Amino acid sequence: MLSVAILAAGKGTRMESSLPKVLHKISGKSLLQRVIDSCFELNPNQIFIIIGHKSKEVQDSITKNQKVQFVIQEPQSGTGHAIQVLCREVKKSEGKLLVLNGDVPLIKPNTLKKLLNLHDKKNADVSLITTKKKNPHGYGRVFLEGDFIDRIVEEKDCNNQERLNLLVNAGVYCFNWENLSKIISNLQSNNNQKEIYLTDTVSLLKNSFGLEVEDDGELQGINNRIQLSKCEDIFQNSIKEKHMLNGVTFLNKASCSISEEAEIGKDVIIEANTHIRGSSKIFNNCVIGPNTYIENSNVGLHCEISNSTVYDSKIMDHIKIGPYSHIRPNSKISSYSKIGNFVEIKNSHLEEESKVNHLSYIGDSIIGSYTNIGAGTITANFDGQKKHQTKIGKNSSIGANTVFVAPINLGESVTTGAGSVITKDSKDNSLAISRTKQVNIDNWERKKS
Ligand code: UD1
Ligand code: MG
């Protein structure tokens, strides 16, 4: 029987934030959700989340799951108090209780498994993860006696000698729940913070063991924004290194961010200040960036996208986008097309080899293959109440500054005159033109003022 308790009731004063600490995010996912997701990998029987400060906000943020139950800790009198509340609420204290601070978001399931194994092997009352830190400031210091942990002293309670100890408590513990419940009410708050510390249980329990782990970043706790940023860097570096080993080049790695779900093919070059978010997929041989943002989109083979943003769209193969294009949701750009400077595309399908090169808005449209949309063309898709569709057949040539007043349906191989306002449908192979003829008045003299 494995139960998990995640401590998430604190305010996180040092974050200087109106948002509860555990709801701050690392690469788009909250600290708390990350800890929960790691714990799910262990397939526990139940997960308790201890909430208190802004409890509703915290509760609402969590992905619903039958195994997850919430326990309210009010007031928040320390990490030991949080577990006292849990033990009072849950009468059946059997098996192992894995306790994690909600502010250690990069903890790996494999490390948790090692802790559980050690716990079983030693038949421990409590086993916890320790690590040596070059700069242990802020962490509880772990003092050993032989094989056992003797005590943990919080930074604020350390004397000068104790402060020199580099072995710290990572905030991840496995308890024999039955034995824990026998001593939990004996915890006191006679310390400098006047809090009930969970760390004091190691002195009250008999068999307390440490699993010392080489910290490659996964044990970074988050108490302030400096540590939040450090964690983000650690996490992003691990994502980018994975892609680099798979054949992706980053030209300025530090300025880019990649979501953990993103898939990137071989020989893709990611230029500076490029961000690939959500469940995006970039296929082989693309050059993405500089200054490009892609979210929840697919980009096919051999595409080049620079200085542009793409949301929730499908970009097929051999396409050039940018600079300064904005592809909005639900667009599909078919192969060998080109979207150029200052062009906005929304909810539209551009079929193969179509071109929208300059200064256009194409919304709710279907543009046929081999069609060229002249500079400054606008689809006027909104009548003040509803959006309407524009359809332009293949092989068409749309003159510069054409306005299509939708709904409108143009056949194939249609030409429009530059500057036309098109309000009527037109047939295949037609010319649609709507503008006043140019008048030239010779010898015209401007009025003198
Ligand atoms: C804690 C440990 C410290 C350890 C460090 C690792 C204690 C006393 N100290 O210190 O030894 O080195 O984590 O990161 O445990 N929380 C509650 N209820 C409360 C207070 C806190 O649920 O009443 C939650 C917080 O929301 C947070 C977690 O417990 O997620 C840890 O609290 P925090 O204040 O960050 O403890 P640290 O000072 O980091
Ligand atoms: Mg902390």
Side-chain angles (χ1 to χ4, degrees):
M1 171 85 176
L2 174 64
S3 306
V4 172
I6 301 171
L7 306 184
K11 183 172 176 220
T13 315
R14 290 164 278 180
M15 294 299 279
E16 298 290 343
S17 175
S18 57
L19 190 69
K21 174 169 69 176
V22 293
L23 294 193
H24 282 262
K25 288 180 177 170
I26 295 288
S27 292
K29 201 195 266 186
S30 77
L31 309 185
L32 179 57
Q33 190 66 52
R34 287 198 177 278
V35 176
I36 296 171
D37 290 351
S38 281
C39 291
F40 268 121
E41 300 283 313
L42 305 172
N43 198 21
N45 301 79
Q46 46 189 357
I47 297 186
F48 300 101
I49 302 178
I50 321 296
I51 52 176
H53 174 70
K54 297 203 174 169
S55 55
K56 185 166 183 321
E57 214 174 308
V58 177
Q59 189 166 347
D60 290 348
S61 76
I62 299 306
T63 313
K64 301 273 168 295
N65 187 293
Q66 282 191 336
K67 284 187 181 174
V68 173
Q69 298 171 54
F70 294 91
V71 173
I72 305 265
Q73 181 201 7
E74 201 62 64
Q76 295 88 43
S77 308
T79 49
H81 177 246
I83 297 299
Q84 285 179 338
V85 172
L86 172 73
C87 289
R88 237 177 279 141
E89 196 129 314
V90 184
K91 297 285 174 324
K92 233 181 178 180
S93 45
E94 52 175 332
K96 288 189 278 275
L97 178 67
L98 181 69
V99 177
L100 300 99
N101 288 352
D103 63 354
V104 190
L106 303 186
I107 186 81
K108 291 179 188 147
N110 212 23
T111 309
L112 296 176
K113 279 180 196 157
K114 281 188 195 151
L115 180 69
L116 298 182
N117 287 343
L118 173 89
H119 186 83
D120 287 337
K121 206 171 109 201
K122 299 276 186 184
N123 197 16
D125 291 323
V126 55
S127 21
L128 56 96
I129 297 177
T130 66
T131 189
K132 286 216 175 78
K133 287 241 178 227
K134 265 191 226 134
N135 175 11
H137 182 81
Y139 288 87
R141 309 297 205 279
V142 179
F143 293 88
L144 303 174
E145 207 168 275
D147 262 1
F148 297 95
I149 295 178
D150 177 51
R151 64 189 201 283
I152 298 175
V153 185
E154 291 305 301
E155 169 87 29
K156 289 196 174 133
D157 301 304
C158 278
N159 60 34
N160 289 341
Q161 189 59 34
E162 287 169 327
R163 210 163 278 132
L164 298 176
N165 182 358
L166 303 182
L167 189 67
V168 304
N169 166 29
V172 181
Y173 321 75
C174 182
F175 291 97
N176 173 316
W177 198 354
E178 198 186 338
N179 292 350
L180 171 70
S181 65
K182 286 179 193 154
I183 57 100
I184 190 76
S185 53
N186 299 342
L187 293 174
Q188 305 292 324
S189 59
N190 50 356
N191 51 56
N192 287 339
Q193 299 190 88
K194 301 278 168 284
E195 280 184 9
I196 301 174
Y197 293 160
L198 184 61
T199 45
D200 286 344
T201 54
V202 299
S203 311
L204 298 175
L205 290 163
K206 268 201 210 109
N207 295 326
S208 311
F209 291 99
L211 174 71
E212 189 179 330
V213 169
E214 184 92 38
D215 186 14
D216 61 355
E218 68 169 317
L219 302 179
Q220 179 66 55
I222 296 179
N223 295 311
N224 57 39
R225 310 261 186 164
I226 296 173
Q227 291 169 329
L228 181 71
S229 154
K230 218 185 224 176
C231 245
E232 181 72 47
D233 287 348
I234 293 167
F235 191 65
Q236 276 298 317
N237 264 331
S238 72
I239 294 175
K240 288 176 223 166
E241 279 172 13
K242 177 190 83 181
H243 289 298
M244 288 189 275
L245 293 174
N246 283 339
V248 176
T249 296
F250 285 88
L251 293 188
N252 186 328
K253 181 164 74 74
S255 68
C256 299
S257 65
I258 313 288
S259 71
E260 58 197 313
E261 314 94 278
E263 292 175 43
I264 309 180
K266 285 193 196 313
D267 292 313
V268 169
I269 296 176
I270 309 279
E271 300 225 26
N273 195 22
T274 290
H275 307 277
I276 298 176
R277 301 278 170 86
S279 55
S280 295
K281 209 167 170 181
I282 315 289
F283 288 79
N284 294 356
N285 296 102
C286 290
V287 180
I288 312 291
N291 309 314
T292 292
Y293 183 95
I294 296 178
E295 189 174 286
N296 297 325
S297 297
N298 275 14
V299 178
L301 302 165
H302 293 279
C303 290
E304 289 175 27
I305 305 182
S306 87
N307 296 280
S308 294
T309 52
V310 180
Y311 293 90
D312 302 293
S313 289
K314 273 204 173 68
I315 314 295
M316 306 308 278
D317 303 333
H318 295 276
I319 291 168
K320 280 192 181 166
I321 294 180
Y324 315 112
S325 309
H326 184 183
I327 314 293
R328 291 171 53 200
N330 206 20
S331 296
K332 180 177 173 189
I333 316 294
S334 295
S335 298
Y336 296 97
S337 295
K338 166 94 180 68
I339 313 291
N341 318 252
F342 305 102
V343 169
E344 178 180 350
I345 311 271
K346 187 214 75 172
N347 187 34
S348 294
H349 181 191
L350 273 67
E351 291 172 351
E352 285 208 359
E353 276 195 58
S354 46
K355 289 191 176 71
V356 190
N357 273 334
H358 324 272
L359 300 157
S360 286
Y361 171 61
I362 305 295
D364 306 306
S365 304
I366 299 175
I367 311 289
S369 41
Y370 312 107
T371 285
N372 184 62
I373 306 285
T377 293
I378 302 290
T379 56
N381 59 335
F382 189 47
D383 64 8
Q385 273 157 357
K386 272 197 199 145
K387 300 280 167 69
H388 299 281
Q389 192 181 51
T390 299
K391 261 183 167 173
I392 302 172
K394 66 180 181 188
N395 288 319
S396 296
S397 179
I398 305 306
N401 253 7
T402 300
V403 176
F404 291 103
V405 181
I408 197 112
N409 193 346
L410 267 63
E412 295 176 359
S413 301
V414 166
T415 304
T416 67
S420 293
V421 176
I422 305 295
T423 54
K424 292 184 202 134
D425 292 353
S426 70
K427 289 188 215 143
D428 293 355
N429 305 307
S430 62
L431 167 69
I433 189 162
S434 77
R435 62 181 185 219
T436 48
K437 285 212 167 109
Q438 181 172 340
V439 176
N440 283 355
I441 300 171
D442 294 338
N443 303 319
W444 175 262
E445 272 184 39
R446 259 176 282 148
K447 272 189 192 153
K448 294 194 176 84
S449 54

